[in-house]
Amino acid sequence: MKNPLSRNELEILDRQVAAISYQLAEISHLLESRLGTHTELATQAKAAQNEFTSLARRIHQQAELARAQPLPESQAHSA
């Protein structure tokens, strides 16, 4: 059985996925504005953006849940 992601790993993943989601939105917008909304390339870019945005939301929700949980006693004290 694999270990779940730590709070820190979720935070890093959340930021990275948010950055990629933003970049995909920029690409999609650029293609739509240059090629039109009904071209195959623009349509596929928009679909990819929507799918990735869905993933980003799920990861963000997991990160929010992790932030809401109290830290274990061993991590709550600073060294």
Side-chain angles (χ1 to χ4, degrees):
M1 182 173 176
K2 297 186 181 204
N3 293 328
L5 294 173
S6 70
R7 181 184 289 191
N8 191 40
E9 289 169 325
L10 275 171
E11 290 287 331
I12 293 167
L13 183 61
D14 187 28
R15 285 192 301 266
Q16 290 174 334
V17 168
I20 292 169
S21 184
Y22 176 79
Q23 290 172 342
L24 285 172
E26 289 290 310
I27 290 167
S28 177
H29 177 71
L30 174 67
L31 289 172
E32 285 180 351
S33 67
R34 297 283 289 145
L35 302 176
T37 57
H38 300 295
T39 63
E40 183 180 359
L41 192 58
T43 302
Q44 287 177 341
K46 187 67 171 177
Q49 176 203 352
N50 289 339
E51 284 294 317
F52 198 83
T53 298
S54 177
L55 172 65
R57 283 189 188 120
R58 288 192 306 262
I59 290 172
H60 184 72
Q61 288 171 346
Q62 289 296 316
E64 287 290 318
L65 287 173
R67 279 192 285 273
Q69 294 177 354
L71 284 173
E73 191 65 32
S74 62
Q75 296 177 357
H77 295 68
S78 59

